[in-house]
Amino acid sequence: MKKTLLTVLLFCQCTFGFAQSEQNGITVYDRDSIWKTDVETGMDLFANLRKSLLRFHGENHDKMLTLLDTTAFRLVRELDMLYQDEVLEYKNWFTRNALTGNRKKQGYSYLDMMLKLDAFFFCPDMYAVVISSARLNTHPKIDMEKRNAAQALFVAIMDRLNSLGFAKKDEMLRLLEKFRKAGQAMPHTLNQDTGLVTEEDRYGFRLVDMLLCLSRD
């Protein structure tokens, strides 16, 4: 089973290690500097991701509108609002916790996490953010009602997509391939525990991720 990469846990649990380092003459600032290169690289990756997604959106937004009926589009927009709110709540929780203890001194590790969360906001990954079981066991934990609502919306959207004709499904596949290439500019590395997800569901999650992205103005 693929292991989950939880950067947030590393950030939240490293305070003890930083405290020990200060006793050995290594400051929290010294240890935090290990994230500097990641931040510098991450900034470039994030900028490239935004460019790729803007290009993808501009070229394919109108096409997406011709593929979805009114009900499907409404469901996608509803799921995207839920998704965006959850990412922002995640960021808010992380920022507030950065005000406590030695986390106050961890500037680079904080920026590294913010870049990852911003990538999630602009390039949706609904499994990692609202579906993954990892969100039930690590802080910040997702509200179970919200997770259930996301799952219900996902199922409803997939039902609408499965009813599409062959030509529209084929066009969806072409759009999905373009979306995958756009997302490669900065691959997600958080909550990627997909070991128990079937290939069919994994395909469905990425398809809906694409629709969330394209549904935005």
Side-chain angles (χ1 to χ4, degrees):
M1 177 176 176
K2 186 177 179 180
K3 297 295 183 180
T4 303
L5 177 57
L6 290 173
T7 306
V8 66
L9 278 183
L10 175 62
F11 180 89
C12 294
Q13 293 176 350
C14 67
T15 302
F16 177 69
F18 282 155
Q20 285 185 320
S21 296
E22 288 205 315
Q23 294 175 3
N24 295 328
I26 303 175
T27 69
V28 173
Y29 297 112
D30 293 332
R31 290 296 300 274
D32 181 61
S33 65
I34 65 175
W35 272 276
K36 183 177 181 179
T37 300
D38 289 344
V39 171
E40 292 172 344
T41 302
M43 290 174 64
D44 288 336
L45 291 175
F46 179 73
N48 289 333
L49 176 67
R50 291 297 315 277
K51 291 177 184 177
S52 296
L53 291 175
L54 285 172
R55 186 182 305 112
F56 170 75
H57 185 279
E59 294 174 350
N60 300 289
H61 174 73
D62 291 343
K63 171 62 68 174
M64 180 272 299
L65 293 177
T66 68
L67 299 176
L68 298 182
D69 60 32
T70 303
T71 299
F73 184 75
R74 176 183 56 79
L75 292 169
V76 169
R77 292 296 297 140
E78 186 176 345
L79 179 56
D80 190 41
M81 290 299 99
L82 185 154
Y83 176 88
Q84 290 186 37
D85 286 346
E86 185 60 24
V87 175
L88 294 176
E89 285 186 23
Y90 203 128
K91 288 185 64 176
N92 183 59
W93 177 90
F94 198 81
T95 298
R96 288 184 180 278
N97 274 271
L99 294 173
T100 62
N102 278 331
R103 299 188 187 102
K104 296 177 182 178
K105 305 175 183 179
Q106 297 168 21
Y108 286 118
S109 57
Y110 171 81
L111 288 173
D112 181 63
M113 187 62 175
M114 287 297 103
L115 285 169
K116 288 180 170 64
L117 293 177
D118 282 337
F120 274 110
F121 186 85
F122 292 105
C123 186
D125 187 335
M126 62 162 295
Y127 177 80
V129 173
V130 296
I131 301 295
S132 173
S133 59
R135 291 301 318 283
L136 298 175
N137 303 312
T138 59
H139 293 293
K141 296 180 181 179
I142 189 171
D143 178 75
M144 181 62 76
E145 184 176 343
K146 182 182 291 186
R147 183 172 183 262
N148 290 341
Q151 289 177 317
L153 286 167
F154 169 72
V155 171
I157 292 168
M158 290 305 298
D159 284 343
R160 305 298 296 188
L161 296 181
N162 286 331
S163 67
L164 293 176
F166 176 79
K168 288 188 174 182
K169 287 182 178 178
D170 192 51
E171 187 61 36
M172 281 284 186
L173 286 175
R174 285 194 286 270
L175 290 180
L176 181 58
E177 184 58 30
K178 293 180 182 179
F179 178 66
R180 284 173 172 164
K181 290 180 179 179
Q184 288 174 357
M186 187 178 183
H188 292 308
T189 57
L190 182 67
N191 293 352
Q192 299 300 299
D193 182 7
T194 57
L196 297 180
V197 180
T198 66
E199 282 298 323
E200 182 179 1
D201 281 345
R202 187 177 292 111
Y203 161 77
F205 288 136
R206 294 309 290 154
L207 187 60
V208 173
D209 289 339
M210 178 193 73
L211 293 176
L212 298 186
C213 181
L214 286 177
S215 71
R216 299 171 179 178
D217 295 332

